Amino acid sequence: MGRPDFAEAARVTGAVVAAIRDDQLAGPTPSLRYTVADLVDHLDGLSAGLASTARKEPPAAEPRPGDGSLLAPGWRERIPAQLATLATAWADPAAWEGVTTAGTIELEAAAAGMFALDEIVVHGWELARSTGQAYETDDAAVQAVADFLEGVPRSEELFGPVVAVPDGAPAIDRLVGLTGRDPAWGP
């Protein structure tokens, strides 16, 4: 498994987060259990935690379930910075070697890296779609995550049922469909 570059996905998702307006925070997302604020809070926690996973360090804080009422001030600046740090952490070849821990789950570091990139891309897409923003990131990274997800056993706990996309659909549509989101979703 190769090491995809996180930099573009982190930059694009960070820009989406920074552009979310306060009046959009209560809006729906493609993840039916999350509002925009809940998803931003989830991204806040995971962006810091998954950088620790890359460094094979214990997370600085307990994982949060994604609760917009817990979203701390300064998130528009903090989350993009955390995403950039996460991208830098996963750029280190050592991050992809051996075993690491994501939250409380021990797994191969290479798989953890792919799941981390999936989180950044899919949640970035969800937030962009929910707030009327464009979401265009590195197709090679998106394709790498989609290929990875096609090779792992399905978990209804992690992903909803696959949403079929037409042949020739953009890589981002294929990826979000694999994670149980409808690429045509709109608020």
Side-chain angles (χ1 to χ4, degrees):
M1 173 182 332
R3 293 189 316 261
D5 186 356
F6 282 45
E8 183 67 6
R11 184 192 66 72
V12 171
T13 297
V16 167
V17 169
I20 295 172
R21 300 184 320 263
D22 287 343
D23 66 328
Q24 295 173 316
L25 291 172
T29 71
S31 290
L32 300 179
R33 67 178 192 239
Y34 286 134
T35 64
V36 170
D38 295 337
L39 195 54
V40 170
D41 182 64
H42 177 63
L43 191 58
D44 192 7
L46 76 84
S47 60
L50 292 175
S52 296
T53 297
R55 293 187 297 264
K56 300 180 177 70
E57 300 170 349
E62 289 294 313
R64 296 192 311 261
D67 180 346
S69 70
L70 302 175
L71 191 57
W75 55 270
R76 286 182 185 91
E77 298 78 27
R78 181 178 59 256
I79 296 171
Q82 287 173 177
L83 288 168
T85 298
L86 183 150
T88 299
W90 284 103
D92 181 350
W96 297 83
E97 298 170 359
V99 175
T100 191
T101 303
T104 59
I105 301 168
E106 187 174 278
L107 69 162
E108 292 294 322
M114 296 305 286
F115 282 122
L117 184 55
D118 169 67
E119 291 281 335
I120 294 169
V121 172
V122 172
H123 293 323
W125 174 86
E126 289 179 298
L127 289 169
R129 186 59 61 101
S130 299
T131 59
Q133 298 182 58
Y135 191 79
E136 294 183 26
T137 190
D138 177 15
D139 277 345
V142 172
Q143 187 66 48
V145 175
D147 291 346
F148 168 75
L149 290 181
E150 285 184 333
V152 298
R154 293 292 303 167
S155 167
E156 295 298 318
E157 197 173 299
L158 294 176
F159 306 115
V162 172
V163 175
V165 298
D167 290 341
I172 191 70
D173 289 0
R174 185 168 151 244
L175 175 58
V176 299
L178 285 170
T179 64
R181 282 112 172 132
D182 181 356
W185 184 90

